[in-house]
Amino acid sequence: MKTIQMTSLDQIGQVAQEVIDFCKEYNIWVFKGQMGAGKTTLIKSISRLFGIQDMVSSPTFSIVNEYHNTSGEIFYHFDFYRIEDPEEVLEIGIEEYFYSQNYCWIEWAEKIPDYIPPDFMLIEISVGEDGIRKIILDKIVNYERHG
């Protein structure tokens, strides 16, 4: 487990590099935090460091965005905020994405707990009253599904 404090948005590039260095051995990254905590902003910064030149935005309506970097690698960015029934994700072939060995960055994974692979990196962002963000990085191994 690793904890990072971010006192200013100017630190986002450095924080993104620390996240990559800590999480790179896992392809499933779950970003957790309240609305407005900075999940998508952090993912944008991470994507730049991976060489992605596509416009990175939260796939709130499309559920998944696919990005490519200059080396031809594929990255998937999910936002499950609007999911009402977790089984909806089966329609998009969620397991094919998650087990593709490509990086999968997931926002609002708590909406689909039964479909998250058992091993993943948890990137939890919380915002203090002073505006300082605390980012906790944790390897989750053998996560027990609810179902």
Side-chain angles (χ1 to χ4, degrees):
M1 185 186 302
K2 177 177 183 151
T3 302
I4 304 167
Q5 295 250 351
M6 189 169 85
T7 56
S8 159
L9 196 55
D10 295 342
Q11 297 172 292
I12 193 79
Q14 173 192 338
V15 169
Q17 188 61 60
E18 288 185 58
V19 170
I20 291 170
D21 291 345
F22 191 84
C23 300
K24 64 185 169 193
E25 58 191 78
Y26 285 80
N27 67 311
I28 304 293
W29 298 8
V30 171
F31 292 79
K32 186 174 183 180
Q34 66 191 37
M35 185 77 71
K39 299 179 295 292
T40 302
T41 301
L42 181 55
I43 290 171
K44 285 179 182 182
S45 190
I46 288 167
S47 69
R48 279 193 293 277
L49 293 173
F50 271 113
I52 294 170
Q53 296 175 336
D54 300 323
M55 170 69 116
V56 173
S57 62
S58 183
T60 304
F61 294 100
S62 61
I63 299 177
V64 61
N65 285 344
E66 180 177 316
Y67 309 123
H68 299 260
N69 69 5
T70 52
S71 303
E73 294 173 290
I74 299 171
F75 300 78
Y76 298 114
H77 180 191
F78 299 88
D79 184 333
F80 295 116
Y81 181 74
R82 296 198 179 279
I83 293 293
E84 297 292 329
D85 177 357
E87 289 189 11
E88 288 178 50
V89 300
L90 297 176
E91 295 171 15
I92 67 164
I94 196 71
E95 290 192 338
E96 289 179 38
Y97 289 108
F98 288 172
Y99 294 98
S100 68
Q101 301 307 309
N102 294 311
Y103 282 109
C104 293
W105 301 323
I106 306 167
E107 298 184 53
W108 300 102
E110 55 269 32
K111 296 274 197 155
I112 61 154
D114 294 340
Y115 300 104
I116 300 298
D119 299 342
F120 60 89
M121 292 303 307
L122 178 62
I123 297 116
E124 191 164 6
I125 305 170
S126 60
V127 184
E129 289 182 22
D130 53 6
I132 294 175
R133 282 169 169 72
K134 182 166 83 171
I135 298 124
I136 298 173
L137 310 177
D138 199 6
K139 295 177 185 175
I140 307 298
V141 179
N142 295 321
Y143 169 72
E144 297 218 8
R145 295 179 177 199
H146 298 278

